[in-house]
Amino acid sequence: VNNDLFKLNESYYFRHEKNGLLTNASGCGNDLRTESPAVRKLILDSLLYFIDTFHVDGFRFDLAELLGVDTLNYLAKGLKTHKSDVILIAEPWSFKGHIAHALKETDFSSWNDGFREFMFDYINGCGNCEGLKYFLEGSTASLCQTAQQSINYTESHDDYAWVDRLGDNAESKRKPHCMFALLYMSLGIPMLCEGQDFLRSKRRIRNTYN
C-alpha cells in the first residue's frame, strides 16, 4: 500500500481480517479504521481545512458505510459547529453493507437507490401506485425523517446510463421525459448525473472505468 499512514502505523490506521490481510470492502484494499480516534480527527481536520481554505459548501462521502454511523455523526457535529449550513451527503453502502435506514437519525442526506430502481420499473410498466406515492412523498414513510434526506436519482457515475437500460425501441424515446417529470415532482433533492440531461450514453458499458 503506497500510503504514508500505512507506513506510520498499519495496524492503527487500517482494518484487517483475522488472518492479518487488509480488509477490502472499499474495493481498494485499504479500509481506514475510522473507529480510531486519531483517524476520526484526521478526517474532520481535513474537511475543516477544505471549508476554511477553499470555501467548500459541503461533502459527499463515497462508500459511507465504511465510515460507520458513529464516525459520520462525529463528523456532522464537528462540521456543523464550524459551518451550520454545511451540506452532508452519504452514498450509504459499501461492498460490506448498507446503512440507509441508520442515516435516518443523522444530519446526512443519502442517495436513494430504491428511487432509482423503482422509477425504472415504473416507467417500464412494472411499478405500482403505492410505490409511486412513497417516492413522490420523499420516502418519509420509512427511509427518511424529512424529504430533504432523500437524494433522488436515476443515474450516477456508476452502473449503466439511463438510456442504456431502456433499449432502442421507439417508445423509449418518450420514457426519459416521464422519468425527468417524476424526478422533479418528487419531494427531496433531485440529482442529475453529468450528461444525463442530454441523454448521455455509455454504449451499454456498466463499469465507468472501462
Side-chain angles (χ1 to χ4, degrees):
V1 176
N2 185 20
N3 187 300
D4 290 336
L5 296 177
F6 184 87
K7 298 172 184 176
L8 180 64
N9 191 329
E10 175 189 344
S11 61
Y12 184 85
Y13 285 103
F14 294 93
R15 293 177 182 153
H16 292 75
E17 305 282 3
K18 291 182 179 180
N19 60 10
L21 295 177
L22 290 167
T23 63
N24 191 26
S26 63
C28 302
N30 54 358
D31 306 337
L32 280 174
R33 287 188 69 235
T34 58
E35 59 272 26
S36 302
V39 174
R40 288 183 178 178
K41 186 176 186 303
L42 176 62
I43 297 171
L44 179 59
D45 288 347
S46 300
L47 299 175
L48 294 175
Y49 175 81
F50 279 116
I51 290 174
D52 291 339
T53 305
F54 302 108
H55 310 292
V56 171
D57 295 318
F59 306 93
R60 177 180 72 83
F61 295 85
D62 201 9
L63 302 175
E65 190 276 335
L66 287 177
L67 295 175
V69 175
D70 289 342
T71 296
L72 292 171
N73 278 325
Y74 168 84
L75 297 175
K77 181 179 179 181
L79 290 169
K80 283 192 168 289
T81 299
H82 193 77
K83 178 179 171 60
S84 61
D85 61 346
V86 66
I87 298 167
L88 298 175
I89 296 173
E91 183 188 53
W93 52 78
S94 72
F95 291 114
K96 185 178 68 175
H98 207 297
I99 59 169
H101 283 89
L103 292 173
K104 183 175 181 178
E105 305 298 328
T106 72
D107 291 316
F108 280 81
S109 301
S110 66
W111 285 18
N112 192 336
D113 49 324
F115 182 97
R116 175 192 62 197
E117 296 308 312
F118 176 85
M119 289 303 172
F120 181 80
D121 289 340
Y122 185 82
I123 288 171
N124 282 288
C126 299
N128 57 75
C129 292
E130 292 76 15
L132 183 62
K133 179 176 183 291
Y134 171 80
F135 288 109
L136 287 174
E137 291 178 346
S139 302
T140 52
S142 174
L143 187 67
C144 305
Q145 287 193 84
T146 63
Q148 70 181 20
Q149 284 186 296
S150 179
I151 306 295
N152 300 326
Y153 76 105
T154 58
E155 178 185 331
S156 72
H157 61 283
D158 288 328
D159 296 318
Y160 295 111
W162 172 264
V163 295
D164 293 339
R165 297 181 68 185
L166 289 176
D168 296 322
N169 60 75
E171 184 186 359
S172 68
K173 296 180 180 179
R174 300 178 58 190
K175 290 179 179 178
H177 296 278
C178 181
M179 179 274 294
F180 281 120
L182 291 172
L183 178 64
Y184 286 118
M185 285 170 58
S186 300
L187 297 179
I189 302 172
M191 183 185 92
L192 288 182
C193 183
E194 184 177 13
Q196 189 180 5
D197 50 334
F198 54 83
L199 304 183
R200 169 192 71 122
S201 170
K202 289 165 60 177
R203 302 190 183 100
R204 298 186 182 176
I205 297 173
R206 182 170 187 173
N207 189 334
T208 304
Y209 291 101
N210 294 333

